[in-house]
Amino acid sequence: YADLGKPPPREVFWQAVVELYYIPTLVARRTSAEQHIQDAENLCIRSNNVMGFRQLKRWRGEVALRAGDYRAAVADFAAALALARKHGSVEAATYLACLANAWAHLDPARAESYAQEALDQPLKGEIHDIYASLAEMALTLGDRDLAREHATCAYREAWADGPPYAWWWDLERAKAVLDAGGAPYPDMPPYDPA
């Protein structure tokens, strides 16, 4: 990021934030997100939104992972991790889990190493996201027991207050892994509006 001299207009920052909230929905629905990622990246650069720029690397990695471009996914997740470490972000654990998920398709030993490092992080951001990635990794590696264990953790954490107040994408990811292993969903209390 360059020194822009004067702060950019705040609306540029907030436009990037709006895109950052929209992109995960596109990724979850397997809808093309590339143009939105590019637009958000330009907005993040213009507004010096470093956190947003870092998160975009992650979402670009998710798009590559879902498309089967595992090397590109590794590169994007590694870039997100490098930025998270540089800034001391709790998101480092999330990006380590994303790396584990991508490496599962290329190098199982490296995947397991990243998975362990993700779990060893003292501070973790969105734990449901970490466990969802690790569940997918374990399923890819053929370890159904570990996949079920991680998916159950992801499901419980993503449930939050219960739908519609849940972390939908990670809940769906956990369900997919549980379904693949023939495991039941954890019994969770329904949302209580009271």
Side-chain angles (χ1 to χ4, degrees), residues 129-183:
D129 196 359
I130 295 166
Y131 280 117
S133 290
L134 296 180
E136 291 173 348
M137 175 214 69
L139 188 63
T140 298
L141 296 177
D143 189 338
R144 291 191 178 270
D145 291 336
L146 185 60
R148 182 174 43 254
E149 179 184 327
H150 287 321
T152 299
C153 289
Y155 189 101
R156 290 178 197 269
E157 293 295 328
W159 186 264
D161 291 331
Y165 302 101
W167 295 96
W168 180 80
W169 186 47
D170 292 322
L171 191 59
E172 293 301 309
R173 292 170 69 197
K175 286 179 183 179
V177 173
L178 291 169
D179 288 344

Side-chain angles (χ1 to χ4, degrees), residues 8-150:
R10 294 307 296 165
E11 62 266 14
V12 175
F13 175 88
W14 290 112
Q15 287 169 344
V17 171
V18 168
E19 290 291 340
L20 284 164
Y21 278 105
Y22 186 52
I23 289 165
T25 302
L26 295 174
V27 173
R29 292 181 175 174
R30 298 187 185 271
T31 305
S32 177
E34 187 53 41
Q35 186 59 53
H36 291 278
I37 291 172
Q38 187 60 50
D39 292 345
E41 188 172 74
N42 291 336
L43 292 166
C44 285
I45 290 169
R46 285 179 48 209
S47 64
N48 277 352
N49 184 343
V50 178
M51 183 179 79
F53 189 79
R54 179 177 68 231
Q55 290 172 348
L56 286 169
K57 293 294 184 190
R58 182 268 170 96
W59 291 113
R60 196 170 254 137
E62 289 291 347
V63 169
L65 181 65
R66 307 279 173 235
D69 189 351
Y70 306 120
R71 295 217 177 271
V74 163
D76 287 320
F77 293 144
L81 177 61
L83 289 169
R85 285 183 167 156
K86 179 179 179 181
H87 303 128
S89 170
V90 297
E91 291 176 340
T94 300
Y95 304 143
L96 286 162
C98 290
L99 273 166
N101 195 10
W103 275 112
H105 299 275
L106 301 169
D107 183 344
R110 193 175 267 182
E112 290 171 356
S113 174
Y114 277 114
Q116 190 58 54
E117 190 177 350
L119 292 172
D120 289 345
Q121 294 298 299
L123 299 174
K124 297 172 183 72
E126 296 172 347
I127 194 78
H128 48 83
D129 196 359
I130 295 166
Y131 280 117
S133 290
L134 296 180
E136 291 173 348
M137 175 214 69
L139 188 63
T140 298
L141 296 177
D143 189 338
R144 291 191 178 270
D145 291 336
L146 185 60
R148 182 174 43 254
E149 179 184 327
H150 287 321

